[in-house]
Amino acid sequence: MARFCGEMNSAHLIANAKEFQQRCLLQGKSLFTDKVVWTSEYCAELIHCFIDNPDAGNGDFFEKLEGQLASASAEVKVLATEMLWFMFLCPSNTGPASKRQSIERVFSWSGFQIDPQRSAQYLSDDALTGVGSAGTAYNTGRWRELVYCIRITEALLKLNQQQRSELFNDHQRFAEWLESIPENENRQLRHMLLFLFFPDFNERIFGKTDRRSILLHLGHVGTKQYSSMLASEIDARLLALRKQFEAEYGTADLDYYVEPLKTKWKKAVPSTIDVVEEPKQGYTVTKQGQNFKSLNKILYGPPGTGKTFNTIDEALAIIDPGYLAEHSDNRCLLKARFDKLVASHRISFVTFHQSFSYEDFVEGLKASSEGSALSYSVAPGVFKTICERASSSYSDAISVDDFEAAILALQQASEEADERIQMETVRGKKFEIEYSGGLTFRVFPHATESTDPKYVASIANVKKLYLTGSKQEIYNTSYVEGFLLYLKKHFGLKAYSDDAVTREQIANPEPYVLIIDEINRGNISNIFGELITLLEPTKRAGAKESLSVKLPYSKEPFTVPSNLYIIGTMNTADKSLAQVDIALRRRFEFKEMMPQPELLAGIDVEGIDITNMLRTINQRIELLYDREHTIGHSFFMPLKHEPKIERLSRIFELEILPLLEEYFFEDWERVGQVLGDHLKTDATLRFVNEKYSDATVLKLMGNDWQANGVRPFQRNIAALMTPEAYIGIYDSVES
């Protein structure tokens, strides 16, 4: 069983976790007090104080947390304490005394007292010793893990007690349910949660590095296959591997950090991965031409036509078309695959707005203070970051197993080390590195006294230098070069080849996608600046007419790689296509997305033909305004799962009527015309009515008053709950 942890006894830990599951997550009671704190109301308050208030407070995690919870209720402070307690259960690289001190510190903010008996059970050394290393990233990114914990709690509390109980009794179902939680694929707390709740099926492997290494060495899984696997699929592979070893050794008391399994995968100096047999020959690489998929595309149309929704399909069609074709009818799987690609940095998502700038998008100066000294460093924006990743990405046609294995070992060494790893530049200048997760290591030069000098060594750039030998377009060159020298010296990384590999020799780079939502809401000229020209396919890196520019802050040469695809969305109700920057228009393909009422076919809401209703509304909008301000079908898609008049009423009251009011500048007479009110003989079925009758006006203003402008109207709330009012939109006959 996976609950076996060698010399570490997991029994007390698992028993406490079971108590926590029953008392807190099922019954809503506090673990440390007699209060009821695990409720949706207190969770919502914690979200408001912590997640929605990220900039409150100063200092380290706990100092900042104290500022964020300053105005929170005492029960919310208890709730936050118990979440942190749960987060502290598994890690063994933080001592129980330190954990206990932190828990008691946060709990003290509530003003309550912890019952001594409960303290002995839940805060003892046995309870807080832990069962495995969580790595430095778990502590340095503690706020991310807490956000994940809060989101799990929020989602669980939306379920009734019976539904929660069913989830807690099915390890596979629970793991699949977790896939709906944001950041699920990246959080170590996910693996701790599954180990504590289902120790017979999940290992005490909390770091992504070790999970990957075990499957690469022992599970006959290749690097490309692993990168496409969901966390739940990795769990299943690890469980199957465990059963295989249990049959081989005739015992369930096996653990990957204990012999005889430890040396099978955990090697200090890895060489090539012999057990993974990837084909090196016998196939051909077909280079995707520029016409295979449009490099720059904008989905445009009225609100509610599914533009952002369809960016998932558009991105998967570029990066993983096979998966899209295989699972085209399963939106949950497509979204999960999309999230996996976002987590692996193959897809980036950004939303433009009026304040979005060149500095946010490309690069800019970032101020930082150390004591009384103020310093500035160049920080890359979302566009430059994904361009760097894309330009250093290569297909499986080139074997980089040695490099990947060396990086994997360095990540693991960095996460497990008590201190930062020390390296040297080519000129002998010393610096230290710390793995910060994702694709970067933070760099701490000995020459600076700053505790956070903002330097990074990108794995993508190290890989580029290893494969090409070229330092062009590499940020922080000296540290990247020193990084590569360290890999060669300490992890046995051999030179890739005697001759530098040119970009033209690298076949079929992996595609990357940048999604820009609401692209027309930003100032395109300011955001793209001089880079707008580089977006053209003929001006991309490697093209015949390739161009590069020198960036104004870093002074680095910059090109846009040919394997970066840009997908934008544009709401025509915000800005007409004719008004879009001409520089943008001629560099992007535009795909129109108009309302599709036919997608609503089959929805039955008390006899209302939703398809016909939407089609009629849009026809009237085209006559009274234009087609760019029609209403999309997605407003009514919730009716597929909830075909009730109450749901339709909320859609009209909170979405459709306010949108029409905005379109027609509060001219409610025209709003009524769109909804067919002018053709309804029964005034009770009209959605908007004149507020004052002629008699009331006469009484208020007298005989001599003459109306000027539009007369006041008001909503008829009763009509929103009347099916005949909606039927009258498309079934009215002028008398």
Side-chain angles (χ1 to χ4, degrees):
M1 294 183 293
R3 65 178 70 210
F4 173 77
C5 300
E7 296 180 356
M8 295 181 175
N9 187 354
S10 64
H12 190 72
L13 193 74
I14 293 171
N16 279 349
K18 191 66 175 178
E19 288 283 336
F20 166 80
Q21 182 190 97
Q22 292 295 318
R23 183 176 178 85
C24 301
L25 300 182
L26 283 177
Q27 300 172 18
K29 299 177 182 178
S30 165
L31 200 67
F32 297 151
T33 72
D34 293 326
K35 306 289 183 180
V36 174
V37 301
W38 290 81
T39 67
S40 295
E41 292 76 17
Y42 289 134
C43 184
E45 187 179 348
L46 182 56
I47 290 172
H48 173 72
C49 294
F50 182 73
I51 298 179
D52 297 341
N53 196 24
D55 298 324
N58 296 295
D60 62 18
F61 172 81
F62 290 102
E63 291 170 338
K64 193 173 178 68
L65 181 63
E66 185 173 9
Q68 291 168 312
L69 298 183
S71 62
S73 63
E75 287 79 5
V76 167
K77 293 169 183 175
V78 173
L79 177 61
T81 303
E82 295 179 359
M83 287 184 178
L84 289 169
W85 171 84
F86 185 78
M87 290 167 55
F88 280 144
L89 284 183
C90 285
S92 58
N93 48 337
T94 301
S98 176
K99 294 178 182 178
R100 186 163 47 249
Q101 181 181 5
S102 297
I103 292 169
E104 290 175 343
R105 174 183 176 181
V106 178
F107 186 85
S108 69
W109 304 337
S110 70
F112 297 138
Q113 296 293 323
I114 301 179
D115 181 88
Q117 187 175 353
R118 294 180 183 177
S119 179
Q121 179 178 355
Y122 301 121
L123 298 179
S124 66
D125 284 359
D126 287 341
L128 297 176
T129 295
V131 290
S133 174
T136 56
Y138 188 75
N139 289 328
T140 57
R142 183 178 286 132
W143 67 272
R144 294 186 178 90
E145 302 291 344
L146 180 54
V147 168
Y148 176 68
C149 185
I150 294 170
R151 290 304 188 194
I152 290 176
T153 305
E154 178 189 28
L156 277 174
L157 294 177
K158 289 180 179 178
L159 307 176
N160 61 44
Q161 192 177 65
Q162 177 64 30
Q163 291 172 321
R164 279 176 266 163
S165 182
E166 290 173 356
L167 273 181
F168 293 148
N169 287 315
D170 188 331
H171 75 97
Q172 187 172 355
R173 182 179 171 188
F174 186 77
E176 292 172 351
W177 176 83
L178 283 176
E179 291 174 0
S180 65
I181 308 299
E183 285 291 300
N184 180 64
E185 297 289 317
N186 299 320
R187 301 277 65 87
Q188 293 186 57
L189 183 60
R190 174 205 181 270
H191 313 313
M192 297 177 188
L193 177 67
L194 286 169
F195 170 76
L196 291 171
F197 285 0
F198 305 101
D200 295 329
F201 303 98
N202 294 274
E203 306 291 337
R204 58 160 181 149
I205 310 172
F206 311 132
K208 186 182 296 185
T209 303
D210 285 358
R211 288 163 62 85
R212 181 178 186 273
S213 184
I214 289 170
L215 288 189
L216 290 184
H217 283 83
L218 305 179
H220 301 283
V221 174
T223 55
K224 184 175 182 180
Q225 181 184 2
Y226 184 91
S227 66
S228 66
M229 293 170 66
L230 296 173
S232 57
E233 295 172 324
I234 296 170
D235 295 338
R237 287 295 188 107
L238 289 170
L239 179 59
L241 195 58
R242 159 170 285 280
K243 291 180 178 179
Q244 175 186 323
F245 283 127
E246 287 179 352
E248 179 181 345
Y249 290 101
T251 179
D253 291 344
L254 295 172
D255 183 81
Y256 286 104
Y257 297 102
V258 179
E259 299 299 354
L261 300 186
K262 182 177 179 180
T263 53
K264 287 180 175 289
W265 67 274
K266 197 174 180 65
K267 302 176 183 179
V269 182
S271 56
T272 57
I273 302 172
D274 297 330
V275 297
V276 181
E277 298 180 359
E278 299 269 3
K280 304 300 181 184
Q281 295 179 349
Y283 63 89
T284 59
V285 176
T286 303
K287 187 170 183 178
Q288 297 177 354
Q290 301 289 356
N291 294 325
F292 181 74
K293 293 286 183 184
S294 173
L295 287 174
N296 307 316
K297 178 187 292 186
I298 288 178
L299 310 181
Y300 73 98
T305 53
K307 298 177 290 299
T308 305
F309 182 89
N310 277 278
T311 57
I312 291 179
D313 289 356
E314 294 283 345
L316 291 178
I318 293 167
I319 294 181
D320 198 347
Y323 192 91
L324 176 63
E326 182 180 355
H327 303 289
S328 59
D329 58 343
N330 192 324
R331 179 68 182 183
C332 290
L333 286 179
L334 294 181
K335 181 60 168 62
R337 176 62 179 140
F338 177 85
D339 291 340
K340 179 77 172 180
L341 291 168
V342 171
S344 63
H345 307 288
R346 294 284 301 283
I347 299 173
S348 290
F349 189 99
V350 65
T351 301
F352 279 4
H353 50 80
Q354 289 88 342
S355 300
F356 203 80
S357 66
Y358 180 91
E359 287 73 18
D360 299 316
F361 193 59
V362 184
E363 68 171 14
L365 294 178
K366 183 178 181 180
S368 59
S369 60
E370 186 69 25
S372 60
L374 186 66
S375 61
Y376 295 88
S377 58
V378 178
V382 62
F383 183 63
K384 182 182 178 184
T385 299
I386 196 170
C387 282
E388 288 177 344
R389 293 193 184 111
S391 62
S392 62
S393 173
Y394 309 105
S395 73
D396 289 344
I398 296 175
S399 174
V400 290
D401 282 350
D402 282 357
F403 180 83
E404 297 291 348
I407 284 291
L408 182 66
L410 180 61
Q411 289 175 343
Q412 180 177 307
S414 177
E415 288 180 337
E416 296 178 354
D418 294 330
E419 298 179 350
R420 299 187 187 113
I421 293 176
Q422 183 172 292
M423 299 181 176
E424 290 185 3
T425 67
V426 176
R427 297 183 179 181
K429 294 183 178 180
K430 298 184 184 300
F431 64 95
E432 297 174 351
I433 62 101
E434 177 184 287
Y435 183 54
S436 58
L439 297 176
T440 59
F441 283 79
R442 298 174 69 194
V443 173
F444 300 83
H446 283 196
T448 179
E449 296 180 357
S450 172
T451 58
D452 190 7
K454 310 299 182 185
Y455 293 110
V456 296
S458 163
I459 295 175
N461 282 337
V462 178
K463 185 177 180 181
K464 182 195 297 184
L465 181 63
Y466 171 67
L467 291 174
T468 68
S470 172
K471 300 178 186 178
Q472 291 186 350
E473 303 172 15
I474 289 182
Y475 186 63
N476 288 336
T477 310
S478 59
Y479 301 125
V480 169
E481 193 171 17
F483 199 108
L484 185 57
L485 290 174
Y486 188 89
L487 291 177
K488 291 179 178 179
K489 181 178 180 180
H490 295 276
F491 291 93
L493 180 63
K494 299 177 182 179
Y496 178 70
S497 65
D498 294 334
D499 300 320
V501 181
T502 63
R503 185 169 295 173
E504 288 75 20
Q505 292 173 309
I506 297 175
N508 196 23
E510 292 181 329
Y512 281 66
V513 173
L514 173 62
I515 298 173
I516 305 175
D517 201 25
E518 306 284 1
I519 192 170
N520 57 313
R521 293 187 65 229
N523 187 320
I524 299 302
S525 299
N526 287 344
I527 294 173
F528 281 94
E530 73 280 9
L531 304 187
I532 192 73
T533 302
L534 305 186
L535 298 180
E536 296 181 30
T538 57
K539 305 299 189 297
R540 300 283 189 103
K544 292 182 179 180
E545 300 178 19
S546 174
L547 292 178
S548 67
V549 299
K550 182 175 287 188
L551 297 178
Y553 293 101
S554 63
K555 307 303 180 185
E556 296 177 354
F558 181 81
T559 60
V560 178
S562 58
N563 58 324
L564 174 63
Y565 294 77
I566 301 175
I567 301 172
T569 69
M570 176 180 150
N571 190 338
T572 54
D574 290 334
K575 183 184 291 186
S576 168
L577 185 61
Q579 297 175 284
V580 175
D581 191 315
I582 191 66
L584 188 72
R585 289 183 64 191
R586 68 185 188 85
R587 289 178 172 89
F588 280 77
E589 286 187 3
F590 284 79
K591 179 179 178 180
E592 185 179 60
M593 299 191 68
M594 295 301 291
Q596 300 180 63
E598 62 273 11
L599 296 180
L600 305 173
I603 298 177
D604 181 15
V605 182
E606 299 192 23
I608 303 168
D609 187 343
I610 303 296
T611 298
N612 198 5
M613 179 189 73
L614 178 59
R615 183 179 291 113
T616 304
I617 287 174
N618 283 335
Q619 288 171 344
R620 290 187 176 127
I621 291 176
E622 286 189 54
L623 289 172
L624 294 170
Y625 202 159
D626 58 40
R627 68 193 301 270
E628 292 179 343
H629 288 77
T630 48
I631 294 175
H633 52 275
S634 65
F635 285 105
F636 300 95
M637 293 302 284
L639 295 173
K640 279 185 172 288
H641 305 289
E642 191 181 355
K644 298 179 180 179
I645 189 68
E646 292 82 4
R647 189 72 177 92
L648 179 59
S649 173
R650 290 202 304 273
I651 292 171
F652 259 76
E653 181 179 7
L654 303 178
E655 298 179 76
I656 303 303
L657 289 177
L659 187 62
L660 292 175
E661 179 182 359
E662 179 185 343
Y663 282 176
F664 294 101
F665 305 99
E666 300 187 23
D667 184 345
W668 283 99
E669 185 173 5
R670 291 207 167 194
V671 172
Q673 290 175 346
V674 168
L675 300 175
D677 285 354
H678 61 298
L679 301 178
K680 297 174 182 176
T681 56
D682 186 349
T684 63
L685 300 181
R686 295 170 186 165
F687 291 99
V688 291
N689 285 318
E690 289 191 20
K691 190 171 184 178
Y692 303 116
S693 66
D694 291 340
T696 303
V697 172
L698 181 63
K699 182 178 180 181
L700 289 171
M701 307 305 297
N703 293 325
D704 297 332
W705 184 78
Q706 293 183 347
N708 294 315
V710 180
R711 293 181 66 171
F713 280 76
Q714 63 183 359
R715 294 184 185 182
N716 181 9
I717 301 301
L720 294 173
M721 291 294 295
T722 307
E724 289 77 12
Y726 299 98
I727 295 172
I729 293 175
Y730 57 86
D731 201 32
S732 298
V733 178
E734 188 172 9
S735 57

